[in-house]
Structures are given as structure tokens and as C-alpha cells.
Amino acid sequence: MTNLTLNEDETMLVDSARGFLDEASPVEKFRELRDAGKAYNPELWKQMADLGWTGVLVPEDQGGIDMGHAAANLLAQEMGKTLVSSPFISTAVMAATALRQVADNPRAAEALGKIASGDLTYALALDEGVKHAPNNTQMQAERVGNGFSLSGEKTFVVDGGSADRLLVLARTGDDDGALTLFDIPADRDGITRTAQNMIDARDSAQISFEGVEATGEDVVGTVDQAMSVLSPALRAGQAALAAEMTGLSSGAFGMTVSYLQERKQFGVLIGQFQALQHRAAHLWSDIEVATSTIANAGRMMDEDPENATLAVSLAKAKACQTAKLAVMEGVQMHGGIGMTDAFDMGFFMKRARVAQEWLGDYGYHAEQIAKIKGY
């Protein structure tokens, strides 16, 4: 049976992360970034790098701390509680996981070192439609001499507006599985990035590729076999995003309980109303269950990554349900002010809505679970 309790190192990591983020990045900081139109705070990102967080999945040989996916999920969960805006999942989780599959490549090893130091950020340019479906990629990478020419459109590229480099998925053959992953600079000729106005105010872009040149050195792994490198990265990102959503749920829950303990109606604290107590207890229980699925996904990713898909999809599906419940209850129990921009609860609701779609929504992961179970 998988051990879901935190070990000593993980407990210390959570405690230090919470203390740092409460001071350096409370929800008010997210509001400041939103109002200033900024994707994230580079100074905060550098501080996270100094703490070793950006290298949590980077091998020690490349300057990382290599604590594993369970630790990465714990960090993401703590970030979710105060809506920290950063390229952590795109860069420190997904890009790092993809590149470490080919860490024997000198260029990949160099990139991993720069991720760990906080000097390089990535975005994954995967999806082309309204839903997460990397296997349905239609973007073409035509062979030109010893290289490729990339043409097509990518949408909902999270962190795509500010990233230094892009991991781009493109079709390099007629077979369904003939997909190749490219690692290219975000400012290469032929690339046009258009910011998307997301309701959660995080960085997202639509990216157009028009005859973008790519060489054999830009290929991550092997031509026509992108999923051998990309699948572990997607599982890592999905688990970390589920953790962030569960942290978001905890943050919304804490804010709601505090309000129940302060707001009075008819001279009585509304937290004394039994109906609201029952709803708060139900939400707390749901968050605890979601937290367990996150812990299980992290352990599976570390101990048996080839068979972690079920655990990861279960975590993401459950996190979607829990986050939806947490923000709906939070908004409703706050009454009218819960819907106003002046109050922070709305930020949690918007972040949850976008996170539900990124890297596969509830329906996508429920389908993965059904397939694995033979339904």
C-alpha cells in the first residue's frame, strides 16, 4: 500500500514554503500583478530558484535538488493557496520532466541547469482546439533538407506570452503516432505570439508558426516518437496542476470559514448556523479526499511512473470537482460580495475555472480512467 504520509523532508518543505509564500506572495500580490498587467513577478521566481524550487525535478548533476514529483506537488499545492502566479508548472515541472528524459543530450542538460537556476522559462505549445488533445495534433513539421519547417497554430499556451523557449508538438508523418517534440526559442523568426485575455489573468497566448525553421538539434528525443518524452511530462504537469487546484480549494475554504466566523446576521455569527456548518464540513472532507489523491499521484510518479496514469487522472478529475465545489460554496456563503472584484474570492473562482480546462478537464480524465479500467 502506498504511504500517503509526509516524510520529514517533505514536512519541512511544506512548512518553509508556507512561511515564505505567506510573506512574499499573498493573494494581494496576485491582485497587484493583475492590475499591472504582469504575467508573474521575476523577482519572486528568482527567490523560488534560490530556495531550490525551480530545480525540484532537475537532477543534482545539473544543479537541481531532485526531490521528486511528490515534493513538486506539495510546492504546487502551497502555491495554490495564495494563487501564486509563476511558470512553475510549465517550466520546473513539465519542461524539466521532458528534458530529463534526454538529459544525456548536452543541450538538454544545459537547459535543465538554467531551469534550476531560474534563468530559463518554458511553455508547452500543444493544443490546437478547444479541448486538450495532444494526439490530435495537426500542426505540420515538413522535412526541409536536414531540418524541418513548422507551420500551424497553437492555442491556450499557458505561460506562452513570457516564456523564453517553447516545447512544440508537431506532426512529422502520416501515421497517427508520428509526432515530434521540438525545443525552440520563443523569438525565432516566423513565430508570432498573441496574448489571450484569460479570466484568471494568468499568462496565456495563441502562437502562430509560419515556416519556422528547426534543425535536428531542436528535436527532443527521437523524431516521430514525441510521446515517449512528452507523456511523462504531461502526467507530471497534470498531477502538479491537480495539487495547485487542491491548494486553491484549501485557500478558498480558509477564506470562507474566516468569513463565517466574522459575519453576523440578526446579531448572530453565521458560522453558528447549522446548515452552513454542514456545508463547510462537507467541503473540508472533500478537500481531504482530494489531498489524498494528490499524494497518491505523487508517490506513483516517483515509484512507478509507467503505471501512474490512473493515479494522475484520478487526482486531476477529483481536483476539478473539489475546486468547483470550493469556489461555488465560497462565493455563495460570502453572499453578494463574493461576486465583486473588490473581494478576493472571485480570483479563486476564476483560477479554478481555467485550471479545470488546462491539461484535460474532468471529462478527459474520467475517460482515461474508464479506459484503464476496461469500460
Side-chain angles (χ1 to χ4, degrees):
M1 180 178 292
T2 302
N3 183 359
L4 302 184
T5 58
L6 302 184
N7 60 38
E8 184 177 351
D9 288 341
E10 290 170 340
T11 300
M12 291 177 59
L13 180 67
V14 169
D15 291 343
S16 64
R18 188 72 269 133
F20 169 72
L21 293 173
D22 281 344
E23 180 177 351
S25 190
V27 181
E28 304 90 81
K29 294 294 183 181
F30 173 77
R31 181 183 289 276
E32 292 176 8
L33 287 173
R34 192 280 306 265
D35 292 346
K38 295 181 179 179
Y40 68 98
N41 183 352
E43 294 181 4
L44 176 65
W45 181 245
K46 194 61 178 176
Q47 289 177 301
M48 291 163 66
D50 293 340
L51 290 170
W53 295 3
T54 58
V56 67
L57 293 176
V58 174
E60 295 181 6
D61 291 345
Q62 279 79 46
I65 61 174
D66 202 13
M67 282 191 69
H69 294 281
N73 292 350
L74 291 173
L75 289 174
Q77 190 165 348
E78 293 307 309
M79 292 179 203
K81 292 178 181 178
T82 52
L83 303 179
V84 176
S85 183
S86 81
F88 178 76
I89 293 177
S90 296
T91 299
V93 176
M94 289 195 288
T97 300
L99 293 171
R100 70 178 295 161
Q101 308 301 312
V102 292
D104 55 343
N105 181 299
R107 201 174 89 165
E110 180 183 1
L112 284 167
K114 290 184 178 180
I115 288 174
S117 65
D119 295 322
L120 187 64
T121 60
Y122 273 87
L124 273 68
L126 305 178
D127 293 321
E128 300 171 2
V130 296
K131 293 293 183 180
H132 178 64
N135 287 316
N136 293 336
T137 293
Q138 298 303 312
M139 179 174 166
Q140 296 296 314
E142 297 182 0
R143 295 179 185 271
V144 179
N146 294 326
F148 300 86
S149 176
L150 279 60
S151 296
E153 301 279 340
K154 296 291 184 179
T155 189
F156 193 23
V157 182
V158 176
D159 299 314
S162 61
D164 300 313
R165 299 187 69 87
L166 302 172
L167 290 178
V168 185
L169 185 64
R171 186 162 297 283
T172 45
D174 295 330
D175 296 339
D176 289 342
L179 299 171
T180 301
L181 191 65
F182 297 89
D183 179 357
I184 57 180
D187 59 357
R188 181 166 288 180
D189 289 345
I191 295 177
T192 302
R193 296 189 281 182
T194 304
Q196 290 181 308
N197 186 18
M198 307 297 291
I199 60 170
D200 66 343
R202 288 178 74 174
D203 178 16
S204 179
Q206 182 168 335
I207 304 181
S208 173
F209 297 79
E210 296 183 9
V212 177
E213 295 182 1
T215 67
E217 293 183 353
D218 295 325
V219 174
V220 182
T222 305
V223 174
D224 292 343
Q225 297 182 26
M227 300 315 285
S228 63
V229 173
L230 185 58
S231 291
L234 288 177
R235 287 194 294 268
Q238 289 158 350
L241 181 57
E244 181 186 279
M245 294 176 72
T246 303
L248 176 159
S249 301
S250 296
F253 174 75
M255 184 178 294
T256 301
V257 170
S258 294
Y259 184 73
L260 295 180
Q261 294 171 339
E262 298 170 356
R263 172 67 172 166
K264 289 184 177 181
Q265 280 188 347
F266 313 113
V268 179
L269 290 171
I270 62 174
Q272 296 180 19
F273 298 162
Q274 192 174 59
L276 298 184
Q277 291 176 354
H278 287 170
R279 288 164 62 176
H282 175 217
L283 177 55
W284 179 86
S285 299
D286 214 58
I287 293 171
E288 288 297 300
V289 173
T291 300
S292 295
T293 68
I294 304 304
N296 181 56
R299 294 285 187 252
M300 286 295 295
M301 287 290 296
D302 288 330
E303 299 169 6
D304 190 9
E306 295 299 321
N307 296 305
T309 301
L310 176 61
V312 170
S313 283
L314 179 62
K316 182 60 161 66
K318 182 59 182 176
C320 286
Q321 287 184 320
T322 301
K324 181 179 179 180
L325 177 65
V327 297
M328 288 178 62
E329 289 288 62
V331 168
Q332 187 167 23
M333 284 195 266
H334 276 85
I337 64 170
M339 293 297 295
T340 65
D341 187 71
F343 202 75
D344 292 338
M345 182 55 66
F347 291 151
F348 287 87
M349 178 177 64
K350 293 171 183 177
R351 175 72 67 87
R353 187 66 190 92
V354 174
Q356 285 175 317
E357 295 295 327
W358 189 25
L359 301 178
D361 60 8
Y362 176 86
Y364 174 90
H365 288 285
E367 184 178 1
Q368 300 306 307
I369 294 169
K371 287 179 179 178
I372 294 171
K373 287 296 185 178
Y375 294 110

